[in-house]
Amino acid sequence: MSLKPRRVDFDSIWTTLLETIKGVITCGKVPRAIWNDRFSDVYKLCTALPEPLGDRLYQETKNFLESYVKTLHTKVTQSEMDLLGIYHRHWEEYCRGAGYLNQLYGWVELFKFQKYTDADINYGGFTVDMGDHMLEIGSNVIHLFRDRLGSSVNQAVVHGVIISLVDVENYKKKMAMQLYEEMFETPFLKETGNFYRSEASRLKSDCTCSEYMEKVIQRLDTENLRSRRFLHGSSYDKVTQECQQRLVADHLQFLHAECHEMVQLEKCKDLTNMYKLLKPIQGGLGLLVQEMEDHIRCTGLEAIKNLKGENIQVLFVDSMLEVHSHFTEVIQKVFSNDQQFVGALDKACSAVINYKVNPKQPCRSPELLARYCDCLLKKSSKGISESEMDDKLASCITVFKYLDDKDVFQRFYARMLAKRLIYGQSASMDAEEGMINKLKQACGYEFTNKLHRMFTDMSISTDHNCSFQKYLQDKQQELGISFNILVLQAGAWPIGQANIPSFALPWELEHSVRMFDAFYSEKFSGRKLTWMHSFCTGELKFNHLKKPYFVTMGSYNMAIMLQFNQAESLTLQDISAATQLPEKELIRQMQALVEAKIIFTEGEMTTASTFSLNMNYSNKRTKFKITSSVQRDTPQEVESTHSAVDEDRKMYLQAAIVRIMKARRLLKHNLLIQEVITQSATRFSPSVSMIKKCIETLIDKQYLERTASSPDEYNYMA
């Protein structure tokens, strides 16, 4: 074949070419030689002189195809039976023929597109018909094949017919699905909705709610599978949404009415089905989430409301952890750990843990949690391995995170930690530090800063004792007793220095105390030591009994017992004069010794009572301790802790107000209140009345002032 352009007779070539086109489009037999010659004919027309005839060829071919498609349309519409089958057969034949024809017209496509640059096509350098003119011949063939659809149960036929509505406009860059949506999808969705509207009414009348949900889930699954067998992918979600609307959304009242009983009885299977049905529906889960929250809250309150006894802190924490663990498992299993239900669990647990029996009294949960931690971390907690203790402490953080008054917990925890460290009662220093690190992760470094400093003081005190021993050796001094000291920072330890009772140190200890004062003053000039004798302990050896005993007791008890070195019987006035303890404190200390049966008195204890050593005292253990009143928690201590928390809160709120106002300079009253509440949320929930009092205090201190233009607006002054 010569590739040189030349003059040709279009009509003669077109007559020959048309016969081949008819054979190709009907998938008839076209000999190879004729097929090759037709390629040459198409090339001749596309390169003809003086002007290429490709556009004319394109138009004549289009006219023939339009006529042919009309003929097919007539054949299909005149069919009385198996309409879709005939349609589908002609469609498949036509598609195959279109593919062959597209190969034959390759030259037309090549020369047609050479006329335009990309810029011409994309940005309209001149007028180009982007409709039919820019289609490949094959695409134009498919474009012409358009018809209406009927119904059939033959999967291959129905699927092929439906997809043909997509394929006929596949060439479009915009609105390629319009024919499919208008001719099939929209009416199909309408009929689907009508069918399932009737189906839902029938199922409701015949089934219980539980049965209804199971059948609806089956219907949805079946319809979903049916969509994937017959429809185009763009219709899957639309069909599913239509089914959900008719089977679920239209009957929310019916489904919601059963939620309460299902939740109360914890019918996991029914709740799982309810969740599956309600989740896709806008606002469908709201009632179910609220029912779960109410149920968890009621269950939690029921578990903790009647707790009594000395072990109440363990019962409280274990009960809360059991409730939390149970419903966490339910939410994971039934609701796939949906965040709405996780949020409901958090709200319910928070409401239970922060519940106040008496609104006028502080919540006891922070104190109980601190006591629970104290029980775990004390040496008295026997039979617990390190891993078990770590797990239990981690569980404490679960409860801790729900506390509103985290600062109250901090106060109680710090006070109990101080006693464990001072009296050497910690079961494991690693466990102590591990718990503080867990609190730091939950609330930040500021929350645990003082706790860390307490541990630092314990470490430094060890160094002080070593240095003191070296100091004594250098001074060639002998104390005559074993002497160990703790030097604690006043700002880090929750030990009040106010109301320290007067106390005359026994002469047996005076030399040791005096020497340490001298050592400390020499090492740190300008620092002052305040001796907290109420927290001191000592070990005495009892030599007056049949066998020796070694007894550990508080310094006040020890001072009292040392008085009996001079006499076997002493009056309360004698002991008071020697120890200089106030009468109330002295009686409390004497009571501890009487209860331990180390000393005794006749009748009730009064200021005129006489006390004598119990010369017949015996104990199975030769080493034991007498717990002082300082080591035991008292109602006064609990009350003072809450009072200290209130004072801390006032200072914290004032600092927060100043910090906010310094940054904002000018702020409305309500906005200031809201920002203070937000900043305080990690530590406690402040009352609006307390914030107002703090604002008034800062106005008095001239940090703030009310603006002249508005009484509910504040200006920063400092």
Side-chain angles (χ1 to χ4, degrees):
M1 179 184 73
S2 174
L3 298 178
K4 183 178 179 180
R6 57 184 174 174
R7 296 179 181 275
V8 296
D9 182 2
F10 179 85
D11 291 334
S12 63
I13 293 178
W14 169 244
T15 301
T16 305
L17 185 59
L18 181 59
E19 292 302 318
T20 303
I21 292 173
K22 291 178 180 178
V24 170
I25 201 65
T26 58
C27 295
K29 291 185 178 181
V30 178
R32 171 62 63 180
I34 294 176
W35 178 254
N36 292 336
D37 289 343
R38 297 299 81 80
F39 273 100
S40 298
D41 291 340
V42 171
Y43 178 80
K44 291 174 184 178
L45 293 174
C46 290
T47 60
L49 294 174
E51 183 179 352
L53 299 173
D55 286 347
R56 185 178 175 187
L57 173 62
Y58 183 88
Q59 188 60 43
E60 290 293 338
T61 305
K62 179 183 177 185
N63 293 338
F64 162 73
L65 292 172
E66 286 178 346
S67 176
Y68 178 70
V69 168
K70 289 178 181 177
T71 303
L72 292 181
H73 176 265
T74 302
K75 288 181 180 180
V76 172
T77 55
Q78 289 178 351
S79 302
E80 296 182 357
M81 298 183 65
D82 196 19
L83 175 66
L84 289 185
I86 294 173
Y87 173 92
H88 186 247
R89 186 174 66 253
H90 284 305
W91 164 253
E92 287 190 326
E93 179 184 277
Y94 191 83
C95 283
R96 287 197 300 273
Y100 297 138
L101 194 59
N102 198 53
Q103 297 176 28
L104 181 62
Y105 275 64
W107 289 114
V108 177
E109 309 305 326
L110 175 63
F111 284 96
K112 175 159 61 70
F113 280 102
Q114 283 180 347
K115 293 193 298 182
Y116 309 117
T117 66
D118 290 342
D120 295 331
I121 295 173
N122 293 324
Y123 303 109
F126 50 85
T127 303
V128 180
D129 183 357
M130 295 303 292
D132 293 343
H133 270 300
M134 295 306 295
L135 300 178
E136 293 183 354
I137 290 295
S139 298
N140 193 38
V141 173
I142 300 299
H143 169 66
L144 295 171
F145 199 89
R146 304 172 64 164
D147 198 358
R148 293 183 179 274
L149 301 180
S151 60
S152 176
V153 294
N154 187 308
Q155 178 181 337
V157 172
V158 173
H159 178 70
V161 169
I162 292 172
I163 296 303
S164 73
L165 296 176
V166 178
D167 292 342
V168 295
E169 294 193 335
N170 228 0
Y171 66 91
K172 289 185 175 181
K173 293 183 178 180
K174 294 182 179 180
M175 302 180 68
M177 303 296 294
Q178 183 177 6
L179 177 66
Y180 170 79
E181 292 171 354
E182 290 179 354
M183 293 192 65
F184 173 74
E185 188 182 74
T186 300
F188 177 77
L189 290 175
K190 182 178 179 181
E191 291 299 321
T192 300
N194 292 335
F195 173 80
Y196 282 111
R197 187 181 288 108
S198 301
E199 181 74 354
S201 298
R202 183 183 68 80
L203 290 175
K204 276 179 63 179
S205 62
D206 296 343
C207 305
T208 64
C209 183
S210 178
E211 295 168 340
Y212 178 83
M213 290 191 298
E214 290 186 355
K215 291 185 180 298
V216 166
I217 290 174
Q218 291 174 2
R219 297 290 192 278
L220 291 173
D221 290 342
T222 302
E223 191 63 36
N224 187 46
L225 180 60
R226 186 180 295 112
S227 295
R228 278 153 176 76
R229 286 179 176 175
F230 291 99
L231 308 184
H232 186 264
S234 63
S235 298
Y236 297 166
D237 291 341
K238 297 177 184 178
V239 173
T240 300
Q241 289 171 7
E242 182 66 24
C243 295
Q244 289 170 340
Q245 181 66 35
R246 301 299 157 236
L247 292 169
V248 182
D250 289 352
H251 304 280
L252 277 182
Q253 187 175 0
F254 167 66
L255 295 171
H256 282 168
E258 301 295 323
C259 287
H260 180 75
E261 182 180 354
M262 290 180 183
V263 170
Q264 293 297 313
L265 299 178
E266 296 185 19
K267 296 180 178 179
C268 291
K269 183 179 179 181
D270 286 342
L271 288 173
T272 301
N273 290 338
M274 185 71 77
Y275 172 72
K276 287 180 180 178
L277 294 178
L278 295 181
K279 182 173 175 57
I281 307 303
Q282 181 71 26
L285 283 176
L287 180 67
L288 183 58
V289 172
Q290 188 60 51
E291 288 288 349
M292 278 301 298
E293 182 181 334
D294 294 342
H295 178 57
I296 297 170
R297 183 174 62 252
C298 292
T299 304
L301 290 174
E302 188 67 26
I304 68 169
K305 70 177 183 180
N306 293 320
L307 299 179
K308 296 179 181 178
E310 294 183 359
N311 212 27
I312 184 173
Q313 64 272 7
V314 176
L315 298 174
F316 168 76
V317 175
D318 286 349
S319 297
M320 277 312 308
L321 290 175
E322 184 178 349
V323 170
H324 184 272
S325 175
H326 170 69
F327 285 106
T328 297
E329 184 178 350
V330 169
I331 289 170
Q332 289 175 344
K333 178 182 176 182
V334 176
F335 304 117
S336 303
N337 220 28
D338 190 297
Q339 287 305 303
Q340 293 184 70
F341 291 91
V342 174
L345 173 65
D346 290 340
K347 289 180 182 178
C349 289
S350 179
V352 174
I353 289 174
N354 296 292
Y355 176 74
K356 297 179 182 179
V357 179
N358 185 348
K360 295 182 179 180
Q361 297 294 324
C363 177
R364 287 202 65 196
S365 298
E367 177 189 349
L368 293 176
L369 181 61
R371 295 191 186 284
Y372 180 82
C373 295
D374 187 51
C375 291
L376 286 177
L377 293 167
K378 272 185 177 178
K379 286 182 177 178
S380 57
S381 58
K382 298 178 181 179
I384 299 180
S385 65
E386 289 186 10
S387 60
E388 288 175 329
M389 180 178 290
D390 190 62
D391 290 341
K392 286 182 177 291
L393 292 175
S395 299
C396 291
I397 299 299
T398 301
V399 179
F400 171 77
K401 288 179 179 178
Y402 290 118
L403 289 177
D404 285 343
D405 299 330
K406 291 182 174 63
D407 56 339
V408 177
F409 169 86
Q410 182 194 38
R411 269 283 176 175
F412 276 103
Y413 187 88
R415 190 179 289 272
M416 294 170 189
L417 172 62
K419 290 182 179 180
R420 292 196 299 273
L421 294 178
I422 290 172
Y423 299 118
Q425 295 176 337
S426 290
S428 168
M429 295 304 288
D430 289 340
E432 293 280 10
E433 292 184 5
M435 182 61 184
I436 293 175
N437 288 331
K438 289 181 174 66
L439 292 172
K440 181 170 67 174
Q441 291 175 2
C443 285
Y445 177 75
E446 183 183 352
F447 187 84
T448 58
N449 182 28
K450 290 185 178 180
L451 304 181
H452 283 294
R453 286 164 61 190
M454 290 165 67
F455 275 91
T456 302
D457 285 350
M458 295 299 294
S459 177
I460 293 175
S461 293
T462 301
D463 296 336
H464 286 331
N465 281 290
C466 293
S467 298
F468 181 53
Q469 293 301 321
K470 187 175 183 303
Y471 173 83
L472 292 174
Q473 291 175 4
D474 293 342
K475 297 290 185 180
Q476 297 183 349
Q477 293 287 328
E478 289 288 341
L479 299 181
I481 61 172
S482 177
F483 184 80
N484 192 60
I485 198 74
L486 294 176
V487 181
L488 314 177
Q489 300 178 65
W493 292 73
I495 301 173
Q497 299 183 42
N499 303 319
I500 298 176
S502 58
F503 177 59
L505 198 66
W507 66 266
E508 292 88 346
L509 297 176
E510 284 181 354
H511 180 58
S512 302
V513 170
R514 190 168 57 252
M515 289 301 299
F516 190 84
D517 273 331
F519 156 76
Y520 197 79
S521 297
E522 184 178 313
K523 187 172 183 179
F524 303 101
S525 60
R527 293 189 185 181
K528 181 183 178 183
L529 291 175
T530 300
W531 290 85
M532 308 293 291
H533 296 295
S534 59
F535 288 91
C536 298
T537 59
E539 184 179 78
L540 291 181
K541 181 180 179 182
F542 287 0
N543 294 315
H544 62 287
L545 301 170
K546 294 180 180 179
K547 60 180 179 180
Y549 291 94
F550 296 88
V551 186
T552 301
M553 59 183 66
S555 58
Y556 294 163
N557 288 150
M558 181 173 59
I560 294 169
M561 290 303 300
L562 287 174
Q563 304 307 310
F564 287 95
N565 279 330
Q566 282 73 41
E568 292 185 8
S569 296
L570 295 168
T571 64
L572 194 65
Q573 288 87 346
D574 295 334
I575 299 173
S576 177
T579 62
Q580 298 296 308
L581 283 170
E583 182 179 314
K584 186 177 180 180
E585 181 66 32
L586 179 60
I587 291 176
R588 185 161 64 246
Q589 300 296 330
M590 296 298 296
Q591 187 68 43
L593 295 171
V594 170
E595 289 175 359
K597 299 181 180 179
I598 293 174
I599 60 175
F600 66 90
T601 184
E602 299 293 337
E604 294 184 5
M605 190 183 304
T606 65
T607 55
S609 297
T610 299
F611 298 88
S612 303
L613 285 173
N614 182 3
M615 305 303 291
N616 297 318
Y617 178 83
S618 65
N619 196 318
K620 292 181 180 179
R621 294 179 297 174
T622 57
K623 295 187 71 172
F624 59 92
K625 67 171 58 177
I626 300 174
T627 304
S628 69
S629 59
V630 176
Q631 291 176 258
R632 294 194 296 266
D633 295 327
T634 63
Q636 292 79 9
E637 183 183 60
V638 173
E639 185 178 348
S640 67
T641 300
H642 283 292
S643 298
V645 169
D646 287 338
E647 292 302 316
D648 287 346
R649 287 183 175 182
K650 291 175 184 177
M651 298 305 298
Y652 183 90
L653 291 176
Q654 290 180 35
I657 293 169
V658 169
R659 187 165 55 247
I660 293 167
M661 290 302 301
K662 187 174 182 179
R664 303 290 291 273
R665 310 302 297 183
L666 192 69
L667 201 61
K668 290 284 188 181
H669 174 80
N670 289 338
L671 291 176
L672 177 57
I673 294 288
Q674 189 58 49
E675 288 204 31
V676 171
I677 291 174
T678 301
Q679 288 197 12
S680 306
T682 57
R683 293 178 62 88
F684 62 97
S685 298
S687 64
V688 175
S689 60
M690 179 178 284
I691 298 175
K692 287 181 178 178
K693 289 179 181 178
C694 291
I695 292 174
E696 294 298 329
T697 300
L698 290 173
I699 291 174
D700 293 339
K701 293 179 179 179
Q702 297 184 350
Y703 280 92
L704 310 177
E705 66 175 356
R706 290 185 174 87
T707 60
S709 59
S710 178
D712 69 337
E713 191 174 47
Y714 303 107
N715 181 46
Y716 182 68
M717 295 175 62

